[in-house]
């Protein structure tokens, strides 16, 4: 075996070596087809019609003129659509968002609610007919105004308790030498993966097949079987290539509508969301209002910590952005109170979005830590050193590993932090004020039960089949490396097939748990296969196949705090004339378990950090209170970072294998964005002397806040 060094990790075998994507050539040549590109004989096209009011009822639909248009096959709506069941428990123990159960009643709970599906011979005919469909509504007053003091807010448990408290908060604050009490806000943000949401449904011999773009084929297959009251074995979902997901590609209205239309017409039907429809139907990150209160001794050691977060959800489904959860992991205090509250409004339901909870939560708590460091006159990194917990601040559980301080030490060395003058507003280049900032990052490192099939073929190769999803992360390549090492062969002897519910249940690509969960299953199957091959009985023409199931192994894991960690650093320049903020350079150092493929891992980290630039400076979806709909629901009005906004972004890692994982993996999909916005916001304060507690830090906000820096 060869030994190579990449980043700070020494690798033996295939895992840990840089490897180009195994499907890379197919993607750049167009041979890899995505869900909306696969041809089917007799394919019809559906186009969703969305409500133009934010609350009310459908009085009538003028379908007659639409049905007379060229190519139109049918119009599905609440009077004629197949009935479905949405009263069941779905993925992760939660019921489905009723938005996916389309055309079941005349109620309209938000702007952009699906009210009809027009199906035609061509996509163009379907779109023209959908835009011609006249829908009459009985409109009702709506409320889309999100405020931090909303009277109807209430606590909501998510994957942890809504409220966690220990100690006397008010006494702890009263006894503190230094107190920070501040409110931080983040806006509504959207996923918008490059590939739109697309699904084709067809019936084949009494069996439902769906070709989809999703983050888990067995997830979608299971939900469709429950919703349409089908035997799970009669539903197959395929999703070979996915052009981004970020939490948005689960069960949505377009898949259900496609199945309905295919059932009615008995021919294949494809439904693709438009970019504008994605703003209403693909989920999004809720805005948050977060109050942080920190009380510390003069030396910066925390006595009291309070983190309260408010987010919104729809009137038809409960979903919470658990932003206060990050404080339960990062910092301890004798008095430690955290709470997540939610308020129902006439808006679409939010959903998981890359680093749910941790991304907005880290902006608040890491900004507050920076404010505390300023008040105490302590370096921000030293403040975090003094408040490093030995065990879970709320759970009391040991950490599987926690190498956060090692990330800060390495990052500070490479970023040149020791040369930083802590006083704000002193560095200047012409009209630009310069500043640097830092922040910590964490994200849970979990694993979900999965199954895998590994076959020893008669020709000496090996085939791996697992219902994994490669949403652009390089999962297919990572699993090839993992399988090769587990089988003790070279990667060219391994073929990995993913994205097919036929392969059996497996964890979704979400929560930074995908590769870890799938690797565990592949390693287990490969290990058993090697044992069988060692018996020397030979390989028959059909091969030898072993199936693994990690349910018992994962269930037997000892309870620990399992997380990836990281340290984010940013340097910004602020134009005192225009208010423009430019990120000049960023550095992220991560402790995120064993790195399987340094090439794609670095892309993952850099992608998250780039999204952090978007979060800090650009992203902001705005609702019109009069209509209840978005202003500029497209990528012209919704700004994201582009290449011109990202000059130098570096990511690296320290050696940090998880001792309880067969491969040592933790998870890297989401930690790159955590803390990035806070590091940038802290750098803006260092440049200008003005603290920005609301994202994004737009030029108008910079100008209206003024500058605490001395004038030239």
């Amino acid at each position: 075996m060869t030994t190579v060094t990449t980043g700070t990790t020494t690798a033996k075998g295939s895992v840990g070596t840089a490897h180009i994507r195994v499907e890379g050539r197919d993607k750049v040549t167009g041979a890899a087809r995505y869900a909306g590109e696969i041809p089917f004989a007799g394919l019809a096209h559906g186009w969703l019609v969305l409500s133009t009011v934010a609350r009310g009822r459908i009085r009538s639909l003028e379908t007659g003129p639409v049905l007379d248009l060229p190519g139109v096959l049918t119009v599905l709506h609440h009077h004629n659509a197949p009935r479905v069941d949405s009263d069941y428990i779905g993925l992760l123990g939660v019921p489905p968002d009723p938005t996916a159960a389309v055309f079941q009643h005349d109620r309209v709970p938000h702007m952009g609610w699906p009210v009809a599906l027009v199906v035609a011979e061509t996509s163009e005919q379907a779109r023209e007919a959908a835009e011609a469909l006249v829908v009459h509504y009985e409109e009702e007053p709506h409320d889309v105004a999100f405020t931090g003091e909303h009277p109807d807010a209430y606590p909501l448990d998510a994957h942890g308790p809504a409220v966690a408290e220990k100690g006397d908060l008010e006494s702890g604050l009263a006894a503190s030498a230094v107190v920070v009490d501040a409110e931080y806000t983040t806006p509504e943000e959207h996923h918008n993966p490059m590939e739109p949401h697309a699904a084709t449904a067809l019936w084949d011999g009494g069996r439902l097949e769906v070709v989809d773009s999703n983050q888990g084929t067995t997830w979608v297959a299971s939900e469709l079987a429950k919703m349409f009251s089908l035997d799970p074995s009669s539903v197959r979902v395929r999703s070979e290539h996915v052009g981004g997901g970020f939490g948005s590609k689960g069960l949505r209205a377009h898949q259900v509508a496609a199945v309905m239309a295919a059932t009615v017409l008995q021919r294949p039907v494809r439904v693709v969301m438009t970019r504008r429809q994605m703003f209403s139907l693909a989920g999004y990150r809720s805005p948050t209002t977060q109050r942080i209160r920190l009380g510390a001794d003069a030396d910066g050691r925390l006595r009291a910590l309070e983190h309260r977060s408010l987010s919104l959800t729809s009137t038809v489904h409960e979903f919470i952005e658990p932003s206060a959860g990050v404080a339960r992991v990062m910092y301890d205090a004798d008095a430690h109170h955290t709470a997540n509250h939610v308020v129902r409004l006439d808006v679409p339901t939010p959903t998981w979005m890359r680093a749910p909870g941790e991304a907005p939560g880290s902006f608040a708590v890491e900004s507050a830590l920076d404010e505390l460091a300023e008040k105490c006159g302590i370096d921000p990194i030293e403040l975090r050193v003094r408040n490093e917990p030995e065990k879970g601040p709320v759970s009391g559980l040991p950490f599987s590993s926690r190498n956060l301080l090692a990330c800060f030490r390495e990052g500070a060395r490479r970023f040149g932090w020791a040369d930083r003058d802590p006083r704000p507003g002193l560095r200047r280049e012409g009209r630009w004020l310069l500043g640097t900032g830092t922040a910590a990052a964490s994200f849970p490192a979990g694993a979900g039960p999965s199954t895998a099939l590994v076959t020893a073929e008669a020709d000496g190769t090996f085939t791996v089949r697992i219902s994994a999803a490669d949403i652009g992360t390089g999962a297919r390549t990572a699993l090839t490396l993992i399988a090769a090492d587990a089988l003790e062969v070279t990667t060219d002897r391994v073929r990995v097939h993913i994205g097919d519910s036929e392969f059996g249940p497996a964890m979704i690509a979400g929560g930074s748990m995908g590769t870890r969960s799938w690797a565990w299953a592949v390693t287990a199957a490969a290990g058993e296969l090697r044992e069988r091959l060692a018996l020397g009985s030979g390989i028959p023409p059909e091969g030898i196949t072993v199936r693994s199931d990690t349910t018992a192994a994962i269930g037997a894991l000892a309870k620990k705090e399992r997380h990836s960690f990281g340290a984010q650093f940013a340097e910004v320049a602020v134009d005192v004339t225009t208010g423009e903020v430019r990120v000049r350079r960023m550095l992220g150092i991560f402790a995120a378990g064993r790195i399987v493929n340094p090439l794609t891992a670095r892309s993952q980290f850099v992608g998250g950090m780039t999204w952090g630039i978007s979060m800090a400076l650009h992203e902001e979806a705005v609702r019109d209170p009069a209509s209840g709909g978005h202003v500029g629901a497209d990528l012209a009005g919704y700004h994201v970072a582009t290449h011109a906004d990202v000059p130098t972004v570096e990511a690296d890692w320290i050696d940090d294998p998880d001792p309880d994982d067969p491969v040592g993996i933790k998870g890297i999909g989401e930690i790159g964005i955590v803390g990035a916005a806070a590091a940038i916001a802290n750098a803006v304060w260092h440049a200008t002397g003005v603290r920005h507690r609301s994202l994004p830090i737009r030029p108008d906000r910079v100008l209206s806040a003024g500058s605490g820096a001395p004038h030239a």
Side-chain angles (χ1 to χ4, degrees), residues 3 28 82 160 250 283 523 628 633 636 673:
T3 300
V28 298
T523 300
I673 190 176

Side-chain angles (χ1 to χ4, degrees), residues 21 23 27 34 193-195 213-216 239-249 354 468-476 498 508-512 514 518 604 669-670:
R21 295 172 189 260
E23 81 286 8
K27 285 186 172 177
Y34 291 81
M194 185 177 294
E195 179 205 18
S213 176
N214 63 56
Q215 293 178 232
S239 183
E240 187 176 0
H241 298 288
V242 182
F246 312 117
S248 72
K249 286 185 175 175
R354 198 176 195 178
D470 192 333
I471 57 176
T473 58
R476 184 185 279 100
I498 64 172
I508 66 169
S512 297
W518 307 323
Q604 280 278 82
E670 290 164 281

Side-chain angles (χ1 to χ4, degrees), residues 51-189:
S51 70
T52 57
V53 302
R55 185 181 178 89
R57 291 184 180 275
I58 303 169
R59 288 207 325 254
S60 63
L61 302 93
E62 297 185 14
T63 58
V66 171
L67 289 168
D68 291 336
L69 292 175
V72 174
L73 301 170
T74 189
V75 179
L76 296 182
H77 47 84
H78 66 280
H79 288 305
N80 64 2
R83 300 296 95 183
V84 297
D85 179 13
S86 60
D87 186 18
Y88 63 86
I89 300 301
L91 180 77
L92 303 178
V94 297
D97 182 350
T99 309
V102 291
F103 320 138
Q104 299 299 291
H105 52 75
D106 64 354
R107 290 292 310 169
V108 174
H110 62 74
M111 171 80 81
W113 177 266
V115 297
L117 179 78
V118 177
V119 187
E121 295 288 354
T122 70
S123 177
E124 292 79 8
Q125 290 170 333
R127 177 175 185 171
E128 181 181 7
E131 291 176 349
L133 179 64
V134 176
V135 182
H136 299 281
Y137 301 95
E138 181 182 317
E139 194 168 356
E140 300 172 4
H142 63 264
D143 179 11
V144 299
F146 177 73
T147 63
E149 302 298 326
H150 202 289
D152 297 327
Y154 60 96
L156 178 64
D157 295 340
H159 299 298
V163 179
E165 297 180 337
K166 70 174 184 179
D168 188 327
L169 182 68
E170 298 304 329
S171 295
L173 291 168
S176 297
V178 182
V179 173
V180 170
D181 185 348
E183 183 177 274
Y184 304 86
T185 67
T186 61
E188 179 180 320
E189 299 166 354

Side-chain angles (χ1 to χ4, degrees), residues 655-672:
D655 199 30
D656 179 49
D658 188 326
D660 298 324
D661 183 86
V663 186
I665 298 170
K666 282 188 174 181
I668 65 173
E670 290 164 281
I671 193 170

Side-chain angles (χ1 to χ4, degrees), residues 613-682:
I613 296 174
S614 271
M615 182 179 180
L617 304 180
H618 304 293
E619 293 193 50
E620 182 179 24
V622 179
R623 288 192 179 275
D624 176 10
S627 70
H630 283 114
V631 177
D634 50 49
L635 292 183
Y638 182 81
H639 293 173
V640 297
T642 65
H643 284 298
D645 300 303
V646 189
T648 303
V649 180
E650 296 182 75
D652 211 334
W653 48 87
I654 63 172
D655 199 30
D656 179 49
D658 188 326
D660 298 324
D661 183 86
V663 186
I665 298 170
K666 282 188 174 181
I668 65 173
E670 290 164 281
I671 193 170
I673 190 176
V674 181
I680 294 168
N682 293 339

Side-chain angles (χ1 to χ4, degrees), residues 301-516:
R301 287 180 171 82
L302 289 168
R303 282 176 171 263
L305 183 155
E306 180 186 36
H307 188 174
R308 295 184 177 274
S309 177
L310 176 67
S311 61
L312 60 73
T313 191
S314 69
T315 60
V316 297
H317 188 60
E318 287 186 324
F319 182 91
I320 193 165
E321 184 80 14
S323 301
V326 67
R328 300 173 185 175
V329 175
M330 293 304 295
Y331 307 108
D332 200 1
D334 292 335
H336 197 289
H337 289 205
T338 55
N340 291 302
H341 287 72
V342 69
V343 62
R344 290 179 177 271
L345 296 174
D346 300 314
V347 296
T349 307
T351 193
W352 300 287
M353 180 166 164
R354 198 176 195 178
E358 278 76 10
S362 66
F363 164 65
V365 75
E366 293 298 315
S367 295
L369 260 289
D370 203 67
E371 296 199 45
L372 181 63
E374 175 198 352
K375 284 193 170 188
C376 292
I378 300 172
D379 178 81
I381 296 178
E382 175 59 26
L383 180 74
R384 288 165 173 82
V385 172
R386 296 181 188 184
N387 286 286
E388 178 69 0
E390 295 182 356
K391 58 184 179 180
V394 173
S395 70
L397 295 173
F399 288 98
S400 61
S401 64
R402 182 178 169 117
N403 288 312
L404 174 61
L405 297 187
C407 293
F408 271 115
R409 285 192 295 269
E410 176 65 13
R413 182 188 68 80
R414 290 176 54 167
F415 195 73
W417 188 262
D419 298 329
R420 177 185 190 258
D421 189 324
R423 295 172 296 173
L426 296 184
R427 292 178 61 203
R428 189 162 190 157
E429 289 182 2
R431 70 179 192 271
W432 298 95
L433 291 170
L434 308 182
T436 53
T438 190
S442 74
F443 196 80
S450 299
T451 62
L453 298 162
V454 180
T455 301
E457 307 289 359
D459 63 0
T461 64
F462 297 85
T463 303
V464 177
R465 296 176 179 86
I466 185 168
S467 298
D470 192 333
I471 57 176
T473 58
R476 184 185 279 100
T477 307
L479 292 177
T480 300
L481 304 182
I482 290 162
D485 279 5
L487 293 164
E488 295 187 349
V489 299
T490 55
T491 56
D492 60 341
R493 292 177 61 189
V494 177
R495 294 186 300 271
V496 174
H497 298 286
I498 64 172
D500 191 333
S501 62
E502 290 275 85
F503 300 155
M507 180 61 193
I508 66 169
S512 297
M513 294 189 285
T515 300
R516 175 176 169 138

Side-chain angles (χ1 to χ4, degrees), residues 533-553:
L533 293 176
L535 299 176
S537 58
I539 302 175
E542 69 274 14
I544 299 175
T545 299
V546 169
R547 179 183 185 273
S548 66
D549 186 338
T550 62
T551 302

